Amino acid sequence: MKMKKILMIISVGSLSLYSCTDFLTEENPNTITDQAFWKTENDFTKGLMATYNTLESSYVLGGSGSTAGHASDDITIPSPWNSDNIQLSDYTVTTVNSFVVNEWQQLYTGIFRANQVLEKIANADLSESFKTEIEAETRFLRGLYYFWLASNYNNGEVIIHTSVPKTMEEYYKSISSRKEVYTLIFDDLEFAQANLPKTWSDDNLGRATWGAATAIKGQVYLYEKMYAEAKLEFKKIIDSKLYRLTPDISWNFDLEHEYNSESIFEVNFSDAVKPGESSNNATTRAVACAPQEAGGNRAIEPAYNFIQLCKSDPIDPANPINAGQQYSQRALATICFKGDGQVFYKRPTEAFPFIVNQEGHIKKFQNWKWPAEPNTSRSGINERVVRLADVFLMYAETILKTSGEVSEAIEYVNMVRERSGVLKLNIADYDADALMTHLMRIERPLELAYEGHMIRWQDIKRWGIVTELLQELSQINYRLLPNELREATAADLLDPLAVIRKQFVEAFENYNPADDDFFPIPNQEIITNAGIFGK
Amino acid sequence: MKKNKPFGELFIRSLKKTLLTMRIAFILMILGILQARANDAYSQKTMLSLNFSETPLVKVLDKIEDESEFFFLYNEKLLDTERKVSIEAKDQLISVILDKLFTGTDVQYTIIDRKIILAPEYLTEVSQPQQKQIAGTVTDKNGPIPGANVVVTGTTVGVITDVNGKYSINITQEAKSLTFSFIGMQSQEISIGILTQINVTMAESAIGLDEVVVIGYGTQKVRELTGAVSQVKVETLEKIGSSSFTQALQGQIAGINVMASSGAPGSTANIQVRGIGSFSEGAINPLYVVDGIPADGTPNFSSNEIESVEVLKDAASASIYGTRASNGVILVTTKRGKSGEMKVGFDSYYGITKILRNMPLINNTVDWLYVNRVRYLAVKDYNGWTALVDNPRGLHNNTNWQDLFQVDNAPIQNYSLRLSGGSKDLTYSLVTSYFLQDGLWINSAYSRLSTRANTHFARGKFSSNVNLALIYDTRKNNNSSLPAAAIRLRPFKAPLNYLDYRIPAPGSNAAAIQSIASALKEINEDRGNDASISMDLNYELFKGFTLRANMGGSVNNNYNKVFQPSFELYDEYTGAPTSSSFPIARLNTGQDLNQHWISEFMGTYERSFGDHKITAFAAVSMEQSTRESFDSGKRNFLSNDIQVLSGGAEDPTASGTKYVSSLMGSIGRLQYNFADRYMLSASVRRDGSSKFGEKYRFGVFPSVSLGWNIDEESFFKNSGISSILTNAKIRASYGTSGNQFISDYLYAALVTSGRDYVLGKSDQSLALGVTQTSFSNANIKWETSVSKNIGLDLRFFKGKLTFTGDAYITNKSDMLFPVLIPPSAGTGSSGTVIMNVGDMINKGYELSSTYRNSGSDFNFSLTAIFMKNVNEVTKTNLASSTIWGGSGGTDPMTVIKEGFPVGSFFLIPTDGLITTIEELAEYKLMVKNANLGDLKYVDVDGNGLINDNDRVYMGSGSPKWEASLTFNPNYKKFDFLVQFNGTYGNKIYNAIKSTAYAHKRHQDVLNCWSPANPTATVPAPVGSLSHDNIRSRSDYFLEDGSYMRVRNVQLGYNLSEKLMNKLSISKCRVYVSIENVLTFTHYTGNDPEIGNDGLMNKGIDSGNIPVTSQYRLGLQLEF
């Protein structure tokens, strides 16, 4: 009896002495903490790869980012059922438009990842050469992400984070001036340019190189209208002899010829390393643009004027590349259209029911040589961010803007044209202005349509020709015929049975450069960021 | 040859197959039970005829066993079975025969049902009793009481009075006294002595005063209570037909708000005790404690298993549960057995759920075309194309998708069997229930088979309770996109037969058909196993001092399977498969395994010295919860009948997580009672939790409460008032409690893998990427709640009229909240960091009053409850003065903001529509894309811009007050119940209506503004959710959510005693019940009880539930 009593008391007493701290300390068994990471070279490489991973994000250069963004330009129309893309096209974007919301959010996620690497590597006990290498790649990416943010949002006045937020105040940073933003971009790209390797081994292809940093830096200068500086950078690329045009332009949009001689920077996608529909290392771009009959969503389509432009790209009959062809190689690599006589997803183009007043489909970055896009909706085709042809045309532009030497500029334009079997420009026909107009209206859209970080939209807004283009386009009546698209004649307009359509009417009415050249800051940023407009 | 199906599934199928089968099963079940009970009285009814002379005893016994169902138990060594006996009996009772057989021997017989035990007299403790009969009448002031219990005190021997209140009972010499009892009357114990006639006049008991309520770690008499504790008994809960007892609490307790969490079958209700208790979603539910074991989350079991539910409302009562008590504590006590004869109860009901009203949609293709035409005319280069162009048969269709996706008259049924009884030392209760409900959306259903066995042992100073509960439930979930799809899908689309694996796809709609077909064909099932066991051991060390160990654990296992079968969509005309077919089936399976254990050691010392009574209590408690889960998937199956992972060919995926949290507490409490006049209770709990960083791990939660029974004072007794006001008590309390309902490990930042990149050209490789994806806060600490309560309990006319009122103020500080951080910080659009963001106050009062009128034929009770709570955020520590929230639209709708209730609506006011060109020109200066017929937003701050600065406070989802009324009259054998409840002053954002507007499907849109309809108030149709006409930042879709509802009407009939006696049934009640009979509201959405989780979404109607009524027919039996 007494024994029992004592036992009871001991058991209760001993429990209360049990170490509370041990019992109450639970380590997260799912992953490690921030403190335990960032030690080895391997850790930093992983941190860097996570920073690269942002490139694949859906609204950066994944499926939505690489398609919907083009809806703002003058050669693209959105599908009639995607209301967010219609807003981009009609210049009625709101602060809650999914593109506006997500591109912002995803680019800043990339910047956050970059800042983690940069902050932790500063004090890491690792070799200096390794640290510099990692830092160069990371800063390239951070600079690129800021460049894309600044070129799309709020006149380039965006929020700058160069470190990982630690206190409440650091979450709530205010917007910086455009100048500060571009200073940061140039700093990052400068460092990257100085420290990145010229090439990577085959198994590391996809990582940033000197060429990528140089070309992007040139592009930033160009967009900032610093033509002399831009020209210098493009010249470095050309002089480096690291790159040359591919014999076939379509190599730049397919799976077979990734990292070809023309490629300067690509976003690497793969549907093989993580197969299946959940893979976040593959892109949905192909399926987004494919017609429904090939398993796609046709989120964007070529505008009528662009189809006409493609048809009118003059081919050089003497060039064997054009044997038996009516249309230029680059036109056929870019889109398909009624009457092009081509095969698209293993069927004659005509076999596709062109509905909703459609006249064509986009071919770039699609698996159109297959019977259909894979039903996983995933594709492994890399996004080519910068390629040599683009650099040639940008270089030509900088020449025209600086020395104005038409002969040199036209040489680069002709290199691009010749590769696709297009008739070369005759120097006699062009002065600097005419050539610039040609670049703006014909050469760059034909060569670079639907590529990069919405190249065409960035081009027409930096040139300030959006209003002029939209005004022209909104006037044109097109007649839609069963096997042909054409500008409506006076007789067509009187024909009661004719299907006559215009495009860009709403867009022209709404467009106002001050409001529409840049996206607004997303609503969520405004409402969650107490310090965004200063305190 | 069909494969064998598990029993449970077969059972479900057979029940569902036809109503007939069910009825037969039902009747057989009842008959079986009747049979069993009837035989209890076997020995009293069976007549035997025997004729033997000088025959060995054993042969006589054998003969009796042959002739009857009796069987004998004896030890051959102790019973002379060869003894020659003679007997002649004709139609005699067994007892008479046995008397004859054993008169003059030392053999003693005992009849237990059909068993007859024969043993020498010296082995039986009690000598053969001499029978004595006592008779009499039981009356009260109104006359005889039929059905009163007359029991030999301390035994289970007893009878029930007849219709005239008369009884007669056979007693042994051992019997010292009789106990008379009847519901609502004071029990009386009368010494027998030499009496043979005992007439008793019963007095009404002072209802409730001596009742005991469960409080944290103990029980207390109502009279001694000092805190705000409310009790609901099983009888009340059982009247509501729902899968979970939580829903049955609605309208029963002052100070708690009960709302269904969703319309899905088998879902539990969300309960809020005294207003919103926290800022965090998911942290506003009270703590549930089932038989002393704190539960993880809201327990899901049936009312049939419950004896009583107590709600600890004030912090002083709740703070004994320290860290988890700040939202109140709900104590659930499951059924216990009582010593005595075995009791058998059977409860069942069958009902249907009828859909009364749905969102009115345009289900007519011509109407739909009209709305689109209006839109087409208003927009310049809208290309006029609709999927109808490509769908030539579309004009013939007028498909009502909502009807196709919903199930009207979905059945609900419940069967529950209960056995209880026991001896003095051992009592038991066993409840087995089977509940089945079909959902309102197709492919949804819930079934649950549960068993709870509670036993109590006592021996000397030692006693123990062992409780065991097993639940097996299955849940079929409809694809969550169905409610929205019903709104999105257009009426010109042909209805589809989703059972086929080849589905015709009209025109170019194949992709749209694919998503519907795949949502409809999806198989999504949960199967759960829940086992919990708890045990306490009590030992009285010395008089008044009891030691107790309380141990319990539960394992909850849930298996989920989602299978998306493959199917083919073929072209309506050519028959060729389209590219939108779904050729590859997918399977995902996963499992959650939750384990929880608790171990507590405590001591209680209870002692009275004269008028002083002291109870001291101390305890230590340790708890741990582990939650593990995994998920796996594969694609491409040989056939749609193969639904196991091994049958899949491609793309295996796997993932899994584990979370562990621990809690440790030490508790002390002292209760003091002076002459039942002055009561004091003080407690303190110190808790440590693994959810917080080392610095802020521990919290201390003290409380004190006082009570004063004024009626014990002589001045009160002497004053005339005591003849009217029988009892009066004042209570006051002060207490603190905490809240730790946050996720685990939040105090440390983590890195996440899987953010990989691809490198290389042809043989690409995955370069692993790891990065920090969220922010942490090492400084998070307890949310604390300090609550003051003052209460008044009054009883008039000896309890005929009772009144309880409580007023309270609860100050909550350091509220934990996952603050949305700016996307620019880099953690995405939903990145949050948990912070102690501010303070909040809840103040209010709650009143409840009951009037009971008893008469012999007619009696009734009427209970009224009223509660009011005012919530205000008093401080926010954030740089941003506004925390935004609220999902279901394009923009946030609700805020946490200083000076306003939590989850307040802040919206931009609108001022009708833009109807003239002049108005439009003026408005375009602010909103350049505006059109005629658009909503006109008010520029509140007058800065010429419409933005979030123009938002103003527009009420919140929390009602200003709530009330309920229950009227329960009984007339003779009939009982009736009608229950009303209602809320006033809450606002609802009708988000689902805005979706229906955006898809141009709401009936209202037919009457939209157009140049031809210039006086319309419905804005012009638009095609996008983010258009100002739809965007969730205006007040256009905000409505008054007040309602009054006839919640439940029930009519019951009790079988007459005569018939019951014949059938040996002690209770037989049949009833019909209708829930949600009538609702009065201005709300234009479906149901004003929108049933949402979380405080920021409390007033946002995401619209999954149509308005329904439930009709039930039930039967309650007791033997």
Side-chain angles (χ1 to χ4, degrees), chain B residues 1000-1011:
Chain B
K1000 303 187 281 286
R1001 285 269 284 134
H1002 199 280
Q1003 278 278 2
D1004 288 0
V1005 185
L1006 266 181
N1007 191 29
C1008 64
W1009 189 95
S1010 70

Side-chain angles (χ1 to χ4, degrees), chain B residues 99-393:
Chain B
D99 278 342
K100 282 185 181 168
L101 284 175
F102 296 110
T103 317
T105 69
D106 67 345
V107 175
Q108 176 75 44
Y109 69 84
T110 315
I111 306 171
I112 303 165
D113 187 11
R114 262 151 264 211
K115 290 195 293 274
I116 299 169
I117 300 163
L118 303 174
E121 202 167 358
Y122 63 84
L123 277 183
T124 58
E125 274 180 36
V126 193
S127 61
Q128 167 68 4
Q130 275 193 305
Q131 297 280 326
K132 172 179 173 182
Q133 198 180 55
I134 296 178
T137 312
V138 179
T139 55
D140 70 357
K141 61 185 181 201
N142 299 316
I145 304 179
N149 284 306
V150 183
V151 181
V152 176
T153 309
T155 73
T156 59
V157 181
V159 295
I160 290 171
T161 56
D162 66 12
V163 260
N164 300 314
K166 290 193 188 310
Y167 73 93
S168 121
I169 186 168
N170 288 321
I171 57 160
T172 62
Q173 276 186 333
E174 301 298 306
K176 293 279 184 290
S177 63
L178 290 179
T179 301
F180 295 82
S181 62
F182 187 66
I183 298 166
M185 303 286 174
Q186 279 172 2
S187 294
Q188 290 188 43
E189 196 181 320
I190 312 271
S191 294
I192 298 164
I194 53 159
L195 297 175
T196 55
Q197 176 82 23
I198 300 177
N199 295 329
V200 172
T201 307
M202 306 278 283
E204 276 176 46
S205 71
I207 301 159
L209 266 194
D210 291 323
E211 266 179 52
V212 166
V213 294
V214 181
I215 58 169
Y217 297 96
T219 58
Q220 212 170 13
K221 277 187 182 171
V222 171
R223 190 149 175 75
E224 294 178 339
L225 267 184
T226 50
V229 179
S230 294
Q231 186 190 46
V232 182
K233 291 276 207 184
V234 62
E235 299 82 43
T236 320
L237 297 177
E238 279 178 350
K239 289 195 170 162
I240 307 292
S242 81
S243 61
S244 161
F245 71 93
T246 49
Q247 274 171 30
L249 290 172
Q250 188 170 53
Q252 305 293 348
I253 294 176
I256 74 166
N257 168 289
V258 181
M259 215 185 247
S261 60
S262 81
S267 56
T268 57
N270 287 326
I271 296 186
Q272 273 169 32
V273 179
R274 293 185 165 177
I276 290 171
S278 174
F279 281 178
S280 303
E281 311 276 334
I284 53 177
N285 286 323
L287 171 71
Y288 290 86
V289 179
V290 181
D291 293 328
I293 309 289
D296 277 340
T298 305
N300 186 7
F301 53 84
S302 100
S303 303
N304 296 109
E305 297 172 21
I306 293 175
E307 185 71 51
S308 72
V309 173
E310 270 90 359
V311 183
L312 310 181
K313 297 188 288 191
D314 63 334
S317 313
S319 68
I320 199 107
Y321 289 102
T323 65
R324 291 164 295 177
S326 75
N327 297 323
V329 178
I330 295 186
L331 303 174
V332 181
T333 308
T334 58
K335 281 189 168 136
R336 318 264 119 188
K338 288 189 187 71
S339 59
E341 205 180 347
M342 180 172 82
K343 278 193 176 158
V344 180
F346 178 74
D347 266 23
S348 70
Y349 62 75
Y350 181 88
I352 54 162
T353 307
K354 174 114 195 86
I355 296 173
L356 297 183
R357 190 157 60 95
N358 262 314
M359 176 177 295
L361 294 176
I362 297 173
N363 292 323
N364 179 310
T365 297
V366 175
D367 287 350
W368 184 85
L369 277 172
Y370 163 74
V371 172
N372 279 273
R373 182 73 187 160
V374 172
R375 161 101 180 118
Y376 169 64
L377 290 173
V379 179
K380 275 146 232 105
D381 60 354
Y382 184 77
N383 64 24
W385 179 87
T386 74
L388 190 58
V389 172
D390 216 37
N391 200 355
R393 292 181 191 174

Side-chain angles (χ1 to χ4, degrees), chain A residues 473-489:
Chain A
L473 296 175
S474 63
Q475 306 294 323
I476 306 172
N477 283 302
Y478 289 95
R479 170 143 193 198
L480 278 49
L481 289 160
N483 248 319
E484 193 196 346
L485 169 77
R486 67 159 192 247
E487 272 189 49
T489 61

